[in-house]
Every structure is written in structure tokens, then in C-alpha cells.
Amino acid sequence: MGVMTSRVLEQIHAALGTVNDPEIRRPITELNMVDSVVIDDAGNVAVTVLLTVSGCPLKDKITRDVTAAVESVPGVSSVDLTLGVMNPEQRSGLQEVLRGGQTQREIPFSRPDSLTKIYAIASGKGGVGKSSVTVNLAIAMANQGLKVGIVDADIYGHSVPAMLGVGDVRPTQVEDMIMPVPTRGGISVISIGMLKPRRDQVVAWRGPMLDRALVQMLSDVYWGDIDALFLDLPPGTGDIAISLGQHLPNAEVLVVTTPQEAAAEVAERAGTMASMMNQRVVGVVENMSFLPCPHCGPEHRLEVFGSGGGARVAATLSSRFGYDVPVLGEIPLDLELRAGGDTGTPIVEAAPQSPAARQLDKIAATLSGRGRGLAGMQLGLTPAGRF
Ligand SMILES: Nc1ncnc2c1ncn2[C@@H]1O[C@H](COP(=O)(O)OP(=O)(O)OP(=O)(O)O)[C@@H](O)[C@H]1O
Ligand SMILES: [Mg+2]
Ligand SMILES: [Zn+2]
């Protein structure tokens, strides 16, 4: 092999180092996915890339990215890409790379040096917009340049994947490690619904089984180095809230409520539950706050669901906990918000200038503006005996 071709080979390897596996989001070279690169004197290149699993849903993207990267190297005249599949040994090798040499499974976010901020989205009642708030806040944060993941832990609904347009996608599994599903804005998502053996299966998630599922979504899923993780919780104060409190006491809780009295009261209970589990309640989001008057414009608020619920929950929780629990935003009723949830295009993307999207952006900015890693710190307040 001439000096020229070995130089081109080096550049090809460098170019392949810029291609990320779309699920794992790390260079394919680091993941030992590049099996071989062969070049002849005429600059024809044959590359073999090993996929983690044979049915890899993202092989088209890998094909495009690898081909484009190699083609961009001067001296390359053609690229012939072969996709292979890792054998079991290669897969356990990959698993080890991903675990950073660690063999034991653990929840990376509960390590004291974890910099990932955890936001649990809670509500008292169902249907108040928890999942809509979760996906839109996640996208808003991703738009700010943060790496974001979502755990859909709602055992009743698991609607998050559909809201992000990946309702039918199953996660890739590498040995006993699960790859989260990549979606818009580079967000990774895993849903408790994806852990069922079959989609149409009905699982009665309860107690220990639910706890195992939550731990699996936190420890067996390869999240990588994410800045923020959102958890869409089931409504109310059930098993999952307790499990979460036990496994991730550093999670910060966002309470979503609608404006009416009855909703506010149960929302307060959900907030109190979080506090009992030593989690900090960072704020209240009032959703479906009002309908902007179709005649006069947004200054005239039609209070379809009453008013004051968010402020009431915030005031009650503040006095109960002894620290400020602010109202982080009031999201108006918006037809596009609902439509976006149905079609898989959340409103912060579909109509970023709408009042609803702006509120969501503002809430995301408030949360992330408080600095990465800060929130995990315990405040030295114990909730015991305060209610
Ligand atoms: N501000 C809003 N304006 C209009 N529609 C909304 C708004 N917020 C939520 N919706 C719609 O209300 C319905 C319920 O919202 P969503 O699924 O987000 O609530 P949830 O609290 O997660 O419900 P569940 O308890 O069923 O999981 C959805 O159809 C959603 O599109
Ligand atoms: Mg939901
Ligand atoms: Zn009016």
C-alpha cells in the first residue's frame, strides 16, 4: 500500500469518527462498529460497519452518514458499504464500553457526581396536560442546546412516544442494555409501554413489578451523558411516585394543574407526596389556564376552567414546605397544542410563536437557567411533620 493510500485511510478513519450511532449518540469508531476499511489504488473504498442488532431501525441513517463521511475524504472515488451485525461477543464488548467498565447495574443519575437534572412531572388528576407539558418542555430545552431524555412512566397512558411521532418504534436491545428511541430534537425516549413483550398486551403494573420497570428504565437504558431527564408520571400519588422517591430522591418535581378548585386540591396532594419522599417541588404549571378570546385577542381571557388553581397550589405548597414554590407558567388552551400532540409535532416546534409555546419556552428557560447540577443539592429542609 502506498503512502498516499495510507494517508487517505487515516483520513477515512477520522471521517468515520464523526459519524455517531443515532441511538447511542457516540462515534461508531469508539463503539467498535467499524469492522474494516479497505481501499484500492484507484480510491475505491469498501467499508464494513457492524450494527448492534440485525433489525436496527436506523440502518438507513447509518448508511447515509457513513457514505457521506467517507465520500467527503479527498482521494476517495467510490464507497461500497456493507452492513454486518455484531456477534454476541462484540455486543458484550459494546455493553462494556457503554458501562464505562462498570459491570454492575446502577442508576447513573443517583450517583453523587451526576450532573443530570431530573424533572418529574406530576399531577393530581389525569388529563390535565402532563404529557403535553413533558414533551414540549423537553423539546424547548433541547432547542436551547441541552441533551435531553424522557422516561414515560405513565402506566395508564404512555402517550409520550406518540406525541413525539415514534409511537410504533420499539427500542433496540444490546444484550441486557436497552437503547432509548431517538426522536426529534435529538431527544431520547423510553416508555414503560415499550417494556411490554407485546404492544397489545395489557399489563397491570403494580408494586414490585412497577418498581422493577422504573429501575430498568433508569439503569438498563443507555442514556449517555444527558443534561436533563424528564419523567412523565402517572396521575395521583401511587406506587410509581414512591418508587421514584426511593430511587431518585434528587428528582425535582413539577406539578401540573388546571385552574379549577377540585383539580388544585388533588394537585396539592401530589406535591405533598413528592415532598414526603424528600424531593423538591420546583414549581407549578397551570395548564388550560384560559381561552384567548377569539374576538378581542389574548388580553380577554375566557376562563373556561375557572381561575386561580395554579396560584392556589403554589401558595399552599410554599407554606407547607417553607420554601418558595412558584407558578412557572400559565399555558392557555390552544387548538394547535392538542393537534400537535395527536400528529406528533409538539407545539413548541409547530407554532413556536404561539402564546402557549412561549409559556413552555419560558418555563424551560427558568428550569435550565438555574444552572446544571445545582438542583441536585439537598437544601437541608426535611418535610417531616410539616403537614
Ligand atoms: N393547553 C392545552 N390546550 C389544548 N389542548 C390541550 C392543552 N393541554 C393539553 N391538551 C390536550 O388535552 C389532552 C390531555 O393532555 P395530556 O395527554 O397531555 O394530559 P395528561 O395529563 O398527560 O393526561 P393523562 O392523565 O391521560 O396521561 C390531550 O388531548 C392534549 O392534546
Ligand atoms: Mg399523559
Ligand atoms: Zn372578548
Side-chain angles (χ1 to χ4, degrees):
M1 180 170 61
V3 179
M4 266 308 284
T5 47
S6 83
R7 183 141 169 67
V8 175
L9 262 187
E10 245 170 63
Q11 287 178 306
I12 292 173
H13 274 289
L16 288 170
T18 66
V19 176
N20 280 350
D21 177 86
E23 290 173 305
I24 305 173
R25 299 199 278 186
R26 275 168 59 176
I28 56 173
T29 46
E30 253 178 53
L31 302 172
N32 301 325
M33 290 170 68
V34 178
D35 193 41
S36 66
V37 181
V38 180
I39 183 167
D40 68 14
D41 289 333
N44 301 307
V45 181
V47 185
T48 305
V49 168
L50 300 179
L51 302 173
T52 51
V53 289
S54 59
C56 178
L58 298 147
K59 58 177 158 213
D60 291 345
K61 176 153 175 54
I62 295 179
T63 301
R64 276 197 308 275
D65 292 354
V66 167
T67 307
V70 178
E71 272 173 350
S72 73
V73 174
V76 171
S77 46
S78 78
V79 183
D80 178 22
L81 173 63
T82 307
L83 293 180
V85 180
M86 287 187 174
N87 63 32
E89 269 146 77
Q90 289 164 326
R91 271 208 297 272
S92 15
L94 170 61
Q95 196 178 342
E96 232 178 273
V97 171
L98 297 182
R99 288 216 169 119
Q102 214 132 29
T103 45
Q104 221 181 356
R105 73 184 224 165
E106 60 160 358
I107 297 176
F109 311 115
S110 61
R111 279 201 297 254
D113 62 344
S114 171
L115 292 174
T116 307
K117 303 234 297 175
I118 315 283
Y119 302 106
I121 316 297
S123 77
K125 289 204 319 166
V128 297
K130 230 171 339 86
S131 303
S132 306
V133 167
T134 304
V135 300
N136 280 291
L137 288 183
I139 292 179
M141 265 194 201
N143 287 344
Q144 294 169 15
L146 300 183
K147 280 194 250 165
V148 180
I150 304 180
V151 167
D152 172 15
D154 189 344
I155 43 173
Y156 307 113
H158 40 85
S159 51
V160 165
M163 285 181 173
L164 289 166
V166 292
D168 295 320
V169 183
R170 303 286 307 200
T172 300
Q173 196 155 349
V174 177
E175 305 300 281
D176 50 7
M177 201 172 245
I178 302 166
M179 299 304 141
V181 173
T183 170
R184 52 188 71 247
I187 293 173
S188 303
V189 60
I190 203 82
S191 166
I192 196 162
M194 294 172 180
L195 302 182
K196 292 188 300 187
R198 284 204 331 270
R199 258 181 82 76
D200 55 353
Q201 217 164 30
V202 178
V203 178
W205 297 107
R206 306 233 33 194
M209 193 188 175
L210 195 54
D211 188 76
R212 234 176 296 128
L214 182 72
V215 170
Q216 194 181 10
M217 290 191 287
L218 296 170
S219 62
D220 291 350
V221 172
Y222 177 73
W223 290 106
D225 181 26
I226 51 174
D227 300 297
L229 182 72
F230 285 86
L231 289 117
D232 185 12
L233 301 182
T237 51
D239 291 339
I240 201 115
I242 296 172
S243 287
L244 184 66
Q246 283 164 349
H247 297 293
L248 284 181
N250 55 330
E252 298 187 287
V253 176
L254 216 67
V255 176
V256 180
T257 185
T258 49
Q260 67 262 54
E261 277 292 297
E265 202 179 307
V266 280
E268 285 161 12
R269 245 180 273 149
T272 300
M273 175 69 164
S275 178
M276 283 170 71
M277 301 307 296
N278 284 316
Q279 293 163 330
R280 182 176 170 85
V281 178
V282 272
V284 177
V285 173
E286 188 181 87
N287 188 29
M288 310 189 187
S289 284
F290 58 92
L291 184 68
C293 177
H295 307 291
C296 323
E299 313 78 53
H300 182 195
R301 300 175 162 207
L302 304 177
E303 293 172 337
V304 182
F305 294 123
S307 68
R312 179 193 143 166
V313 175
T316 306
L317 296 183
S318 295
S319 74
R320 234 175 242 179
F321 305 155
Y323 60 80
D324 185 36
V325 179
V327 177
L328 295 174
E330 293 175 348
I331 305 167
L333 279 160
D334 189 314
L335 275 182
E336 265 190 277
L337 194 155
R338 191 202 51 72
D342 294 344
T343 57
T345 43
I347 191 162
V348 293
E349 271 190 0
Q353 295 311 318
S354 63
R358 287 201 163 147
Q359 283 291 308
L360 287 154
D361 273 332
K362 182 189 83 173
I363 298 165
T366 306
L367 290 175
S368 60
R370 290 171 316 124
R372 190 179 170 177
L374 259 184
M377 295 194 314
Q378 292 296 316
L379 295 170
L381 296 167
T382 39
R386 265 194 289 109
F387 53 94

